[in-house]
Amino acid sequence: MSVKDKKPVKKKILEKHHISLTINGYIYELDVGGSPGQIEPSHTLAHTLRETLGLTGTKVSCDSGACGACTVLIDEKAVLSCMTLTIECDKKRITTIEGLKDRATGGLDPLQQAFIDHTAFQCGFCTPGIIMSAKALLAKKSSPSEEEVREALSGNFCRCISHYQVINAIMSLSKKTGQEK
């Protein structure tokens, strides 16, 4: 075959890839790539929430999945957002601490109010992750035992407070929920 017989090779133009996330009830269409304004395939959900979308309630502390500060809900399950790639979340429902407020009134979620009522925080840095872990537990089981609460929070670490106040806050809500049913 001579050079003149060769057909030119068509360069395959990469299609624009994007993902769709529902975060706190709002749909976000995010382009995936390496250009400005795009999320990179290596970005974690924590990075995307904080740096791209400005949802800074999700905290990053250890950045290795050991502390639980970055916990968010994905389809109502507690997930460490620092260990989850954003691209893995396509078509998922994500809830952050910002998404717990009542949309109509702007009021706090009863779990957030219970933390205030029981002084279940000090500096507050790890509180969003703890609340999100507790929220996942309460979504699964409305009246958990104290042991189940302790197990659900076993991946959340706080250096400021005693976890007794946290457990009391969650159990107070658990008791209220249990009485309503």
Side-chain angles (χ1 to χ4, degrees), residues 23-24 44-63 67-74 78-84 86 89 94-100 112 124-133 156:
I23 303 172
N24 302 329
T44 64
L45 181 57
H47 176 87
T48 300
L49 291 170
R50 292 182 57 79
E51 306 303 326
T52 304
L53 302 176
L55 296 170
T56 57
T58 300
K59 304 301 184 207
V60 177
S61 182
C62 71
D63 212 16
C67 72
C70 68
T71 303
V72 298
L73 303 183
I74 298 180
V79 175
L80 299 170
S81 64
C82 77
M83 300 299 292
T84 305
T86 305
C89 300
I94 299 162
T95 306
T96 68
I97 193 73
E98 292 94 343
L100 295 187
Q112 292 170 304
F125 187 83
C126 63
T127 304
I130 294 172
I131 288 176
M132 298 311 288
S133 292
N156 295 89

Side-chain angles (χ1 to χ4, degrees), residues 65-69 71 78 80 129-130 133-134 137 146-158 163 166-167 170:
C67 72
T71 303
L80 299 170
I130 294 172
S133 292
L137 170 66
E146 187 173 319
E147 184 58 36
E148 290 168 320
V149 171
R150 289 179 188 278
E151 178 64 28
L153 299 180
S154 65
N156 295 89
F157 295 101
C158 176
H163 277 271
V166 171
I167 292 166
I170 297 166

